[in-house]
């Protein structure tokens, strides 16, 4: 089993940046693909980005791909999501999750989830 803890969220003005972190417990973190999802108030959870086991394969939602970078540091058991040029519509709770399917945009592909970190972007 893998336990995930997200951090790095907060309140930021539009146009600002945040780096979200997803810290995993356990020694098998490198075996998993890692995804970031988000859920805004009264909306369904949506895919944001994912990184494969090697760290070389990354995929992004169209809404963030020009403004975001996902990366992983398996030595630290951490995955990062750097988000720039933030917009009010990026406001959501951001979740990280791990699974065995590379490149998946579907939440059903991910077996373990963190509790989320709140990102609020003010206009």
């Amino acid at each position: 089993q893998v336990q995930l803890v997200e951090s790095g969220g907060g309140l930021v003005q539009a146009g600002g940046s945040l780096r979200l972190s997803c810290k995993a417990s356990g020694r098998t973190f490198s075996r998993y693909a890692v995804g970031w999802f988000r859920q805004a108030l009264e909306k369904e959870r949506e895919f944001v980005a994912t990184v494969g086991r090697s760290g070389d394969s990354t995929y992004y939602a169209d809404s963030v791909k020009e403004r975001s970078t996902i990366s992983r540091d398996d030595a630290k058991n951490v995955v990062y999501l750097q988000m720039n040029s933030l917009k009010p519509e990026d406001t959501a709770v951001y979740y990280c999750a791990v699974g065995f399917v590379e490149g998946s945009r579907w939440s059903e592909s991910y077996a373990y989830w963190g509790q989320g970190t709140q990102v609020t972007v003010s206009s």
Side-chain angles (χ1 to χ4, degrees), residues 37-48 63 87-95 116-121:
F37 291 76
R38 68 186 181 186
Q39 187 167 17
L41 196 62
E42 298 182 344
K43 293 189 176 181
E44 293 189 354
R45 187 174 297 183
E46 65 175 4
F47 168 77
V48 177
S63 58
K87 306 174 182 180
E89 50 264 44
D90 293 318
T91 295
V93 177
Y94 284 70
Y95 300 89
T117 184
Q118 175 71 48
V119 171
T120 303
V121 184

Side-chain angles (χ1 to χ4, degrees), residues 19-21 29 31-32 39 45 58 66 69 77 79-80 82 84 89-91 94 99 103-104 114-115 117-118 121:
R19 188 176 78 161
L20 306 182
S21 298
F29 181 65
R31 298 172 55 191
Y32 295 97
Q39 187 167 17
R45 187 174 297 183
T58 58
E66 301 298 329
T69 303
N77 276 11
V79 167
Y80 303 102
Q82 176 71 41
N84 304 316
E89 50 264 44
D90 293 318
T91 295
Y94 284 70
S104 177
Q115 294 300 307
T117 184
Q118 175 71 48
V121 184

Side-chain angles (χ1 to χ4, degrees), residues 66-86:
E66 301 298 329
R67 306 182 287 121
S68 301
T69 303
I70 188 171
S71 61
R72 65 188 299 160
D73 184 344
D74 288 342
K76 296 181 179 179
N77 276 11
V78 178
V79 167
Y80 303 102
L81 180 67
Q82 176 71 41
M83 300 189 69
N84 304 316
S85 303
L86 285 161

Side-chain angles (χ1 to χ4, degrees), residues 5 27 66 81 109 115 122:
V5 178
R27 295 175 291 178
E66 301 298 329
L81 180 67
S109 298
Q115 294 300 307
S122 63

